[in-house]
């Protein structure tokens, strides 16, 4: 059995076609049937958010669940509140997708995103419509606890020494998304002086699209330079990811951000670093320099989060986890990607060193990672062709096929939901990376 409706991070689609209130209400009544109890519903700033959140609340209430409206907030804030107070959660968001998209991320009572097995069960209920329908005495009640986002803010601030960022200036670009009310406030309470851009909730995203690309962050870079800030930080549409520009306004590669924060975590405690097979070797390099071992998972933050928890339950120390796209997981805080926490950790790191981000990044080994999206109706055929590229070298089949040569590695993996495969090639030598990529493309397209 495989997931059909849900991808790696929930279900998403264009409003009015694949995504609509009717579908979300069915997800709500299936979820209420499965989880029961008190369920929190939150959303990002998309124009379709209130329509879908209303549908979600209606579906849940009709099964007899009590629903708590937590309003507009980052996905990690909802996850934190669910873990602390509720039996489950639903986040109406399409994360980094363009404005016309929306969707649902389902949160378990422990604050993690719903895993594959339970999602398959949920999908079966959505399809069969075999859901609980409460009678008039048993329908759920709706309450508003949107003020609780404050608890998320202080849960992050209290992780760090008081006013650790005094004297530092930071520019925050929440991209008109839900972190407008969280990240600037977190950094301000840590003692930093804050400037903001795109910091008003706006589902038309007038300043930039929800995906924080170097092009979209040009105004942020400009403001960093103009204000002499230590760095600029931007979020994707639901603020589970954070990306940075350095003190010169230069975009910091997400793997570099990951490496800097993983290094800081590994220096604090020796333990495992958990990351997907698609992540740069840079992370393993900095971890091993601190005496830490790296363990890889399939691609998807939920696999990283659950693997972190599994190792902790087995008695291991886990220092850090995350993905090479700016989605980082801080095991002392919670087991999900958290953009606000990432911004705070970077601020604390910079406050504790004499060097700016560009200096810290400049000390790291440099890698070239090339990515290619290959459209195909037959991902399996390409994957088996990729196996032939291995040439007797042992394969890693954690997710798709990864081949590691002496001076490079390559990964080919099918997309979870769409008709294409992704190729990743990385080497310290940019020419080598290009050559490998060309050889592989020639071979698998043959
Ligand atoms: Mg996101």
């Amino acid at each position: 059995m495989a997931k059909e409706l849900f991808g790696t991070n929930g279900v998403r689609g264009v409003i009015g076609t694949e995504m609509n209130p009717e579908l979300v209400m069915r997800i709500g009544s299936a979820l209420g049937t499965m989880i029961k109890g008190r369920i929190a519903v939150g959303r990002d700033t998309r124009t379709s958010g209130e329509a879908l959140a209303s549908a979600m609340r209606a579906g849940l209430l009709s099964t007899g669940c009590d629903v708590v409206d937590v309003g507009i907030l980052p996905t990690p804030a909802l996850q934190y509140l669910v873990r602390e107070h509720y039996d489950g959660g639903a986040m109406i968001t399409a994360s980094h997708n363009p404005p016309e998209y929306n969707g649902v991320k389902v949160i378990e009572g422990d604050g993690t995103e719903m895993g594959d097995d339970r999602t398959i069960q949920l999908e079966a209920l959505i399809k069969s419509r075999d859901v609980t329908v409460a009678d008039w005495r048993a329908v759920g009640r709706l309450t508003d606890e949107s003020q609780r986002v404050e608890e998320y803010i202080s849960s992050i601030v209290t992780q760090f020494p008081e006013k650790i960022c005094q004297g530092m200036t930071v520019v925050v670009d929440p991209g008109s998304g839900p972190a407008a009310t969280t990240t600037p406030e977190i950094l301000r309470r840590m003692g930093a002086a804050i400037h903001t851009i795109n910091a008003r909730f706006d589902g038309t995203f007038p300043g930039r699209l929800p995906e924080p690309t170097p092009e979209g962050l040009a105004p942020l870079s400009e403001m960093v330079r103009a204000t002499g800030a230590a760095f600029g930080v931007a979020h994707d549409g639901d603020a589970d990811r954070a990306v940075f520009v350095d003190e010169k306004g230069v975009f910091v590669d997400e793997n570099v951000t990951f490496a800097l924060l993983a290094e800081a975590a590994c220096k604090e405690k020796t333990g495992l670093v958990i990351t997907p097979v698609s992540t740069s070797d840079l992370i393993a390099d900095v971890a091993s320099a601190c005496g830490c071992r790296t363990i890889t998972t399939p691609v998807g933050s939920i696999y990283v989060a659950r693997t972190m928890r599994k190792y902790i339950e087995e008695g291991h120390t886990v220092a850090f986890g995350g993905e090479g796209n700016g989605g980082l997981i801080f095991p002392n805080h919670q087991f999900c990607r958290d953009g606000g926490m990432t911004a705070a950790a970077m601020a604390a790191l910079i406050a504790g060193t004499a060097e700016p981000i560009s200096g810290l990044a400049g000390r790291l080994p440099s890698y070239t990672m090339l990515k290619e999206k290959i459209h195909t109706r037959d991902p399996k055929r390409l994957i088996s062709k990729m196996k032939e590229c291995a040439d007797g070298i042992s394969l890693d089949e954690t997710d798709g096929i990864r081949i590691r040569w002496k001076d490079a590695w390559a990964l080919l993996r099918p997309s979870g939901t769409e008709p294409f495969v992704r190729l990743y090639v990385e080497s310290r030598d940019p020419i080598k990376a290009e050559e490998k990529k060309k050889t592989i493309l020639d071979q698998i397209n043959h």
Side-chain angles (χ1 to χ4, degrees):
M1 287 278 274
K3 295 184 286 187
E4 284 170 23
L5 194 54
F6 284 75
T8 318
N9 294 112
V11 44
R12 281 180 214 166
V14 173
I15 281 293
T17 54
E18 313 112 295
M19 181 53 59
N20 51 64
E22 199 247 332
L23 172 62
V24 173
M25 189 160 80
R26 284 172 56 199
I27 296 171
S29 51
L31 180 63
T33 302
M34 236 171 109
I35 292 192
K36 309 205 165 52
R38 292 180 82 211
I39 299 181
V41 177
R43 65 180 179 97
D44 68 16
T45 58
R46 286 163 201 274
T47 52
S48 56
E50 192 47 57
L52 298 192
S54 302
M56 175 57 72
R57 293 192 292 261
L60 289 166
L61 289 166
S62 70
T63 66
C65 281
D66 288 333
V67 174
V68 181
D69 183 359
V70 287
I72 293 176
L73 80 180
T75 298
L78 175 74
Q79 292 181 274
Y80 179 81
L81 293 179
V82 168
R83 188 190 76 187
E84 294 295 301
H85 302 290
Y86 311 118
D87 300 301
M91 180 73 186
I92 306 298
T93 180
S95 188
H96 61 272
N97 287 115
E100 62 272 26
Y101 283 77
N102 212 339
V104 182
K105 286 183 181 177
V106 175
I107 311 301
E108 294 276 12
D110 64 3
T112 62
E113 279 182 60
M114 188 173 265
D116 289 343
D117 294 350
R118 301 254 297 156
T119 304
I120 289 166
Q121 270 180 44
L122 180 71
E123 284 193 1
L125 276 176
I126 294 166
K127 246 190 236 162
S128 70
R129 300 184 193 239
D130 184 15
V131 294
T132 308
V133 180
D135 76 10
W136 67 276
R137 287 157 300 198
V139 286
R141 292 197 332 171
L142 175 66
T143 48
D144 182 322
E145 296 188 3
S146 48
Q147 83 292 346
R148 278 204 194 270
V149 72
E150 162 61 30
E151 294 176 28
Y152 165 73
I153 293 172
S154 62
S155 76
I156 292 176
V157 174
T158 52
Q159 300 264 336
F160 300 94
E162 217 170 303
K163 300 284 179 193
I164 187 179
C165 300
Q166 204 103 54
M168 179 189 290
T169 300
V170 179
V171 187
V172 183
D173 176 357
S176 311
T181 53
T182 53
T183 298
E185 184 59 20
I186 289 165
L187 298 175
R188 210 172 275 135
R189 287 193 204 173
M190 290 172 72
I194 303 300
H195 296 280
T196 58
I197 181 168
N198 301 319
R200 229 173 304 179
F201 292 165
D202 191 335
T204 67
F205 302 97
R208 66 166 173 90
L209 290 173
E211 173 70 18
T213 59
E215 302 73 51
L217 302 187
L220 171 67
S221 296
E222 209 170 291
M223 203 187 260
V224 166
R225 287 191 292 267
T227 57
F231 64 86
V233 57
H235 295 295
D236 72 322
D238 66 336
D240 52 0
R241 293 193 284 134
V243 303
F244 296 86
V245 300
D246 69 16
E247 77 287 356
K248 296 172 190 157
V250 178
F251 189 84
V252 183
D253 182 275
E254 289 96 330
N255 279 301
V256 169
T257 302
F258 186 177
L260 293 177
L261 295 176
E263 188 178 38
C266 290
K267 279 180 180 164
E268 212 147 276
K269 97 179 149 187
T270 308
L272 301 171
V273 174
I274 317 282
T275 192
V277 284
S278 55
T279 300
S280 170
D281 275 349
L282 185 53
I283 311 311
D285 286 357
V286 299
S288 76
C290 300
C292 294
R293 192 157 62 93
T294 304
I295 290 188
T296 54
T297 71
V299 176
S301 61
I302 186 178
Y303 304 115
V304 179
R306 286 175 187 266
T307 305
M308 289 171 77
R309 281 226 318 227
K310 185 187 91 159
Y311 277 100
I312 290 170
E313 278 158 19
E314 289 172 3
H316 297 272
T317 304
V318 172
F320 204 62
E323 302 177 298
N325 62 4
L328 304 182
I329 305 176
F330 298 78
N332 291 343
H333 174 49
Q334 59 174 346
F335 291 98
C336 64
R337 296 177 293 185
D338 192 327
M341 181 67 191
T342 304
M346 181 61 87
L349 171 64
I350 297 303
T353 95
E355 263 188 292
I357 293 192
S358 67
L360 295 175
R363 285 194 291 99
L364 297 173
S366 102
Y367 281 91
T368 298
M369 191 191 281
L370 306 172
K371 295 179 190 172
E372 185 95 13
K373 199 166 151 177
I374 306 158
H375 285 269
T376 174
R377 292 258 155 243
D378 191 2
K380 280 203 184 102
R381 193 182 68 89
L382 295 196
I383 301 273
S384 72
K385 286 236 169 202
M386 175 77 172
K387 276 191 185 176
E388 294 165 18
C389 300
D391 227 357
I393 304 170
S394 76
L395 297 171
D396 178 344
E397 299 191 55
T398 307
D399 190 349
I401 295 283
R402 186 167 74 165
I403 308 172
R404 182 176 283 283
W405 297 274
K406 213 169 89 231
D407 46 5
W409 61 264
L411 167 72
L412 189 74
R413 58 176 293 269
S415 154
T417 43
E418 290 160 283
F420 60 79
V421 291
R422 279 183 198 281
L423 174 66
Y424 304 71
V425 182
E426 187 183 66
S427 173
R428 295 207 49 181
D429 177 356
I431 298 165
K432 187 95 218 168
E434 285 292 350
E435 278 172 13
K436 275 285 177 211
K437 187 180 123 186
K438 189 174 176 304
T439 315
I440 293 166
L441 284 178
D442 283 351
Q443 183 135 359
I444 62 177
N445 285 324
H446 197 62

